[in-house]
Amino acid sequence: MALSPQGERGLFRWHIHCLYRPRGRAMSGGTGWMGTERDAMKSGTSAAAARFLRTAKLCRIRDVEQLLAVSALVRDLSALIHALQKERGASSIYLGSGGTRFAEDRARWQADARTLESVLRDRLDLVDEQLDRLSCGAQFYSRAALALYALDGLPALRDQVSSLALVPQDSVKAFTDIIGHLLSVLFEAADIAADPAISRALVALFNVVQGKEFAGQERATASAGFSRGRFDGVEHGRLAHLIDAQNRAFRIFAEFADPAQAAAFRTALADPAVAEVERMRAVALSDDARHGELSGITPELWFDRATRRMELLKTVEDRLTDDLRRLCEAKLAQARADLGQADTGGPDTVLPVAMMLVDAVPALTGVNGPSSIGQEQDGAGLYAPDGLPPKLMRSVLDVMQAQSQRLRDVSLELETAKAALNERKVIDRAKGLLMSTRNLSEEEAYKLIRKTAMNQNKRIVEVAEAILSMSDILRGVTGGGGAAGG
């Protein structure tokens, strides 16, 4: 039976208390009072090691249970984001057509989004009870708070759309800002994963969700142009940026996805609707589109094909969400099985690790005289308790070396996954700095960073780091602390 978070924390504290409670039991195998004392020391060491091991496994169970709660949050975030993406697209056509198109579709998707918003709010309350606030950090909770504030503004936004008080571009931006806050919560959820396999799965999922969001913005932006009957230069630049952003997100996904997930993604994009989207993209981006030559493409046709493409991406997203949940469940089952093995085996289950430092093979210490050649070959350089054959000690050493290598590999995988997330944070901060100091849009700030990186033959994150290092200069602050003069 699952424990409540309070009960689990109580059990955890009890095990910590047990670590420092004196324990011991008699062990045979020694001779005389020195042997008895040595055996008692062995008993105390092995018992303490077992208690520490058990506590470590309890911590592992707690961590994976938190990640399982995060996977449920990710699922609900994904569902609401998808509903808001559909409402955003329908609202764009509704406004672009002066309220004559997509009124019923907008109302239906608006109702879906309301239902899913209620589900997400309940999930956030539940997750707040399940997560360890200290391990998650302030950033996650700050993002969640901002997302909830953004959702509070949805009713007013919907009223403005209904009354045709907004132009399509403003509606798209308002919905995109709300979705962006939800994506930030998802982003921070990916950043708190301590398990490398789960972290990689979250990075892959986040980039599919991010890529699909850019696809949704493209759908809404082009919907407004097709509804109006022409495209201007600003929309051309916006569409080109969104297509580039999608490709970038999907490249990162491919780096972190497992082969089966990557194959599912390729299969989804092989659908004929995707080729149709590519064709209509080319029309929207052509010079003729500025003069109203749209090759007979209606906003309904564009929206239908772009929506079909997004639904295909949603199937990949759903698969990754399910894979993440199954991965968390498998990790949790394994962690509980490990704990059960520790409980069954008792303190001596960790003795092979501890005993390598407890006693020395007589052949090496010289206590019983010179060793034979055979003993020297089998046992040279190995520490072991009395009675443990040197060949077995070699096996123990091999196991420990393999475990050490596995831990190094795990650390490398985790660092790789975290690096992708950290680089994104650096780039986002640099974009924000340029936006605030040079009055640029997000798209213009990213283009400036990318162009500089290309000109200097550097990675984008390196240019972003250089921009952040010059933040004082960009804000007009001199070395003396005064404002820069003209």
Side-chain angles (χ1 to χ4, degrees):
M1 181 177 66
L3 290 172
S4 67
Q6 294 82 4
E8 190 174 271
R9 285 193 290 270
L11 180 62
F12 179 73
R13 293 192 192 100
W14 182 83
H15 280 288
I16 290 292
H17 169 71
C18 289
L19 286 174
Y20 298 99
R21 189 176 64 191
R23 284 188 180 181
R25 62 181 176 84
M27 290 183 66
S28 60
T31 57
W33 69 271
M34 291 184 64
T36 301
E37 183 173 316
R38 183 177 60 197
D39 288 348
M41 291 177 63
K42 287 182 185 177
S43 175
T45 300
S46 60
R51 292 197 300 277
F52 273 107
L53 181 63
R54 177 177 174 78
T55 303
K57 291 183 177 182
L58 283 169
C59 291
R60 172 66 175 159
I61 290 173
R62 179 201 60 192
D63 291 345
V64 180
E65 284 178 338
Q66 289 190 170
L67 289 173
L68 191 57
V70 166
S71 73
L73 173 62
V74 166
R75 180 195 63 214
D76 293 340
L77 278 167
S78 169
L80 177 57
I81 288 170
H82 190 66
L84 289 174
Q85 287 167 338
K86 289 192 287 188
E87 184 182 352
R88 176 181 57 194
S91 298
S92 182
I93 294 180
Y94 179 81
L95 290 168
S97 65
T100 62
R101 289 172 163 166
F102 270 57
E104 292 182 2
D105 292 314
R106 174 175 168 263
R108 183 174 70 255
W109 290 328
Q110 190 178 116
D112 290 344
R114 284 196 181 101
T115 300
L116 292 168
E117 179 187 347
S118 178
V119 171
L120 177 64
R121 287 178 181 274
D122 291 342
R123 176 67 62 187
L124 283 169
D125 287 341
L126 182 60
V127 165
D128 184 37
E129 296 176 1
Q130 294 172 321
L131 293 184
D132 183 340
R133 293 188 178 95
L134 292 178
S135 65
C136 292
Q139 193 75 355
F140 174 81
Y141 286 97
S142 296
R143 297 292 192 186
L146 290 172
L148 289 172
Y149 280 126
L151 290 173
D152 289 341
L154 266 175
L157 172 59
R158 287 165 175 155
D159 288 342
Q160 287 181 303
V161 174
S162 296
S163 61
L164 303 178
L166 295 175
V167 296
Q169 292 89 338
D170 289 341
S171 171
V172 169
K173 183 180 185 306
F175 275 102
T176 298
D177 287 344
I178 294 171
I179 293 171
H181 285 299
L182 296 173
L183 281 169
S184 294
V185 178
L186 180 58
F187 181 75
E188 292 300 330
D191 203 24
I192 66 175
D195 181 279
I198 294 174
S199 185
R200 289 183 67 88
L202 279 165
V203 172
L205 173 60
F206 174 79
N207 279 282
V208 166
V209 175
Q210 180 74 87
K212 185 167 73 68
E213 164 56 11
F214 289 133
Q217 292 179 36
E218 179 193 9
R219 178 180 62 181
T221 301
S223 290
F226 283 121
S227 295
R228 194 170 59 252
R230 63 178 178 80
F231 288 82
D232 57 29
V234 173
E235 286 170 330
H236 276 183
R238 177 71 173 158
L239 288 172
H241 165 71
L242 290 170
I243 293 168
D244 180 62
Q246 288 173 65
N247 293 335
R248 185 171 65 252
F250 294 144
R251 281 196 300 270
I252 297 174
F253 155 77
E255 292 176 10
F256 287 89
D258 66 34
Q261 293 169 344
F265 179 82
R266 290 191 297 270
T267 300
L269 294 191
D271 189 279
V274 177
E276 275 289 283
V277 169
E278 296 284 352
R279 181 185 71 82
M280 288 187 276
R281 271 178 177 173
V283 171
L285 288 170
S286 67
D287 289 336
D288 291 341
R290 301 189 184 201
H291 307 291
E293 295 294 332
L294 301 178
S295 302
I297 300 172
T298 64
E300 288 86 357
L301 180 62
W302 160 257
F303 192 87
D304 178 75
R305 297 298 185 271
T307 297
R308 171 61 181 164
R309 178 172 180 263
M310 289 189 66
E311 293 293 345
L312 292 167
L313 291 172
K314 185 66 167 66
T315 63
V316 178
E317 181 183 313
D318 289 343
R319 175 184 178 132
L320 266 64
T321 302
D322 289 340
D323 287 350
L324 174 63
R325 175 182 53 79
R326 284 192 289 267
L327 177 60
C328 290
E329 289 173 347
K331 294 277 186 179
L332 182 57
Q334 183 60 54
R336 286 172 173 165
D338 289 346
L339 179 63
Q341 290 172 2
D343 289 343
T344 302
D348 289 340
T349 55
V350 295
L351 191 57
V353 177
M355 64 191 177
M356 295 187 71
L357 303 175
V358 172
D359 204 352
V361 177
L364 300 177
T365 61
V367 172
N368 295 326
S371 63
S372 67
I373 295 177
Q375 287 175 317
E376 221 167 20
Q377 290 173 340
D378 282 341
L382 295 178
Y383 287 86
D386 294 340
L388 187 66
K391 288 184 179 180
L392 179 57
M393 282 310 304
R394 271 211 312 271
S395 298
V396 172
L397 182 59
D398 290 341
V399 169
M400 292 190 68
Q401 288 174 335
Q403 175 74 356
S404 177
Q405 181 61 47
R406 189 184 73 82
L407 290 173
R408 286 194 294 269
D409 293 342
V410 163
S411 297
L412 181 60
E413 289 179 14
L414 185 57
E415 288 172 7
T416 302
K418 293 290 186 182
L421 293 170
N422 290 334
E423 285 186 5
R424 180 184 175 84
K425 287 183 177 181
V426 170
I427 294 170
D428 285 347
R429 287 173 55 207
K431 286 193 300 185
L433 181 60
L434 291 176
M435 290 165 65
S436 63
T437 57
R438 301 190 58 177
N439 196 27
L440 300 176
S441 67
E442 182 180 1
E443 178 182 350
E444 291 168 338
Y446 180 76
K447 283 184 176 179
L448 178 58
I449 296 172
R450 184 179 61 180
K451 182 179 179 181
T452 304
M454 293 174 64
N455 291 341
Q456 297 182 6
N457 195 27
K458 292 183 177 179
R459 297 175 64 221
I460 290 178
V461 68
E462 292 174 339
V463 173
E465 288 170 344
I467 291 171
L468 292 175
S469 70
M470 299 175 63
S471 59
D472 287 345
I473 297 176
L474 287 171
R475 291 193 175 98
V477 178
T478 66

